[in-house]
Amino acid sequence: MPRHDSTADAELLAAAQIALNRHRDLLRELGRIFTDAGHQLYLVGGSVRDAALGRELTDLDFTTDARPEQMQKMLRGWADALWDTGIEFGTVGVGKAGQRLEITTFRADTYDQVSRNPEVAFGDNLDDDLVRRDFTVNAMAVRVTADGPAEFHDPLGGLAALRDRVLDTPSAPEVSFGDDPLRMLRAARFVSQLEFTVAPRVLEALLAMAPQLERITAERVAAELDKLLLGVDPVAGIDLMVQTGLGDVVLPEVGAMRMAIDEHHQHKDVYWHSLTVLRQAIDLEDEGPDLVLRWAALLHDIGKPATRRHEPDGGVSFHHHEVVGAKMVRKRMRALKYSKQMVDDVSQLVYLHLRFHGYGDGRWTDSAVRRYVTDAGPLLPKLHKLVRADCTTRNKRRAARLQAAYDDLEQRIAELAAKEDLARVRPDLDGNEIMEILGIPPGPQVGEAWKYLKELRLDRGPLSREEATAELLAWWNAKEGRPV
């Protein structure tokens, strides 16, 4: 690739060359196949952008003048696997040496500005293909030949935008976003993933065109939101969404937390508090990005606007906001078509995030500690992080006191776990034993007895079989009106 006059640009190109050289053998093989068949092949889009940024390349995207059926014929003997799921859009998926490649025929689509479905049309040259892409930083290409990566193509100023860390559109943003409104949400995602800003004209278009996001399916919106939250700076991406009105369309509960602080400053700005909690939760991650934790951190206080009350003493309260918030999480995430497990996990964390504040100076009984662990279940490690992240007070003494109290709770949990299997708190008698002792057949009464014994187990800890049997018989006789 040729050097550029700008030192910064030259550094970006050098970084791209280094990143692409890691895939040199694969690129040479692929380039030779297309060259021998008389076709052009270019590495394009996010692959070129990430290479210039020195990021790891996991999936490689290509564009070519070859038609899909020609690609399949050329690649059949070379590829480990071929997929045709996107073939109507000109894309052939290729598996090779454990790597996923996507090769798409040059596109020259037109849009009806109503749906986001293009009238698919194949193009004949690279420039027409690049100009239809979402942002200029994704509209750069590298020719791939039998010798590997060759000349660099940047007809739309993508390298300069990359250098300045700015997102701009190849064509007028009103045209680009009108063609595909999902690109507006993608702008917020790239702000999070790449730590870029948006060009002034892009910002103006976002403000004017945000309502058009309603044209996009819930599944596509959710996929972009997840990528945004998993970025390196999701706070910036979320804030761009909220400030431009995109959030009003896809996640209105977040923007609704921007409540005016009362004159006595009796409560924090809930919106910025939530973004701070998100940032602090990310700092506590120890095994890579945690999507469930990040969603819970962002949404943990969405019940506050609906529960806000001005008290007679001039204070402000948000009673039961965790209960209301958990219901709101379920409603929003179901509307976005998230899986049942995802909805259950995030809403349960929101429901439980406030319970620790009843711990005070460590006066919880062992029973209360058991219930905390049992209700959290496998979410307990995430709940630990969420509760710790939820401390955003500027009062250092109060912050230290809260963290010390949670340290104490975790120690209590560890001590009980050393004595009992807290991860699986179950009754001391199983269903078969209950039926045998009470002389009853399978049915609702067995479930009722099982629940009673589980509550007893939570309250008192492990019981011997004799103790559990005696308690079960006493409960059963009292229930049946017999003398105990």
Side-chain angles (χ1 to χ4, degrees), residues 152-312:
F152 174 70
H153 293 261
D154 181 23
L156 299 162
L159 195 65
L162 198 68
R163 179 192 65 219
D164 297 335
R165 308 188 75 80
V166 172
L167 290 172
D168 201 355
T169 50
S171 56
E174 293 79 10
V175 174
S176 182
F177 297 158
D179 285 347
D180 185 358
L182 187 67
R183 290 171 174 171
M184 293 189 286
L185 198 54
R186 202 173 289 144
R189 187 243 290 185
F190 286 134
V191 164
S192 168
Q193 286 183 326
L194 304 175
E195 298 182 282
F196 282 19
T197 59
V198 295
R201 69 173 189 159
V202 170
L203 181 61
E204 291 178 10
L206 293 175
L207 289 163
M209 301 178 67
Q212 293 199 35
L213 258 184
E214 293 176 353
R215 290 160 47 190
I216 306 302
T217 63
E219 292 87 349
R220 296 298 302 276
V221 167
E224 288 298 323
L225 291 175
D226 283 351
K227 291 174 184 177
L228 186 160
L229 275 178
L230 290 172
V232 294
D233 190 8
V235 167
I238 292 292
D239 194 46
L240 179 65
M241 278 177 43
V242 170
Q243 301 302 336
T244 57
L246 298 174
D248 291 340
V249 179
V250 299
L251 209 58
E253 297 83 358
V254 173
M257 291 190 288
R258 292 181 297 174
M259 299 183 296
I261 300 176
D262 65 279
E263 59 181 338
H264 301 294
H265 296 271
Q266 292 294 315
H267 70 85
K268 303 170 186 175
D269 180 299
V270 180
Y271 171 69
W272 280 108
H273 163 74
S274 297
L275 295 186
T276 301
V277 172
L278 171 58
R279 185 175 282 123
Q280 293 184 169
I282 291 170
D283 289 341
L284 293 173
E285 291 173 342
D286 48 17
E287 294 182 0
D290 186 330
L291 187 59
V292 170
L293 175 63
R294 293 188 183 198
W295 267 115
L298 176 64
L299 302 180
H300 76 284
D301 272 351
I302 62 170
K304 278 191 170 181
T307 58
R308 183 186 185 193
R309 297 290 182 272
H310 291 280
E311 302 296 344

Side-chain angles (χ1 to χ4, degrees), residues 31 81 128 169 171 183 198 219 378 388 390 395 397-398 410 427:
D128 288 349
T169 50
S171 56
R183 290 171 174 171
V198 295
E219 292 87 349
R388 289 187 182 278
D390 195 23
N395 185 320
R397 185 172 298 177
R398 183 169 185 271
E410 286 203 67

Side-chain angles (χ1 to χ4, degrees), residues 345 373-374 376-382 423:
D345 287 352
V373 173
T374 300
L379 294 172
L380 186 63
K382 299 181 195 293

Side-chain angles (χ1 to χ4, degrees), residues 35-50:
T35 300
D36 290 349
H39 290 289
Q40 305 167 41
L41 181 68
Y42 297 88
L43 192 68
V44 73
S47 299
V48 178
R49 178 202 70 216
D50 287 347

Side-chain angles (χ1 to χ4, degrees), residues 373-429:
V373 173
T374 300
D375 289 348
L379 294 172
L380 186 63
K382 299 181 195 293
L383 182 59
H384 288 334
K385 294 182 179 72
L386 177 60
V387 173
R388 289 187 182 278
D390 195 23
C391 176
T392 62
T393 179
R394 295 179 182 176
N395 185 320
K396 293 183 179 180
R397 185 172 298 177
R398 183 169 185 271
R401 190 165 60 247
L402 285 170
Q403 296 295 347
Y406 207 81
D407 288 343
D408 184 69
L409 174 57
E410 286 203 67
Q411 180 62 32
R412 291 273 305 280
I413 291 171
E415 290 171 355
L416 276 176
K419 302 174 186 175
E420 312 169 21
D421 184 5
L422 289 183
R424 297 184 61 187
V425 174
R426 301 178 62 83
D428 297 286
L429 302 172

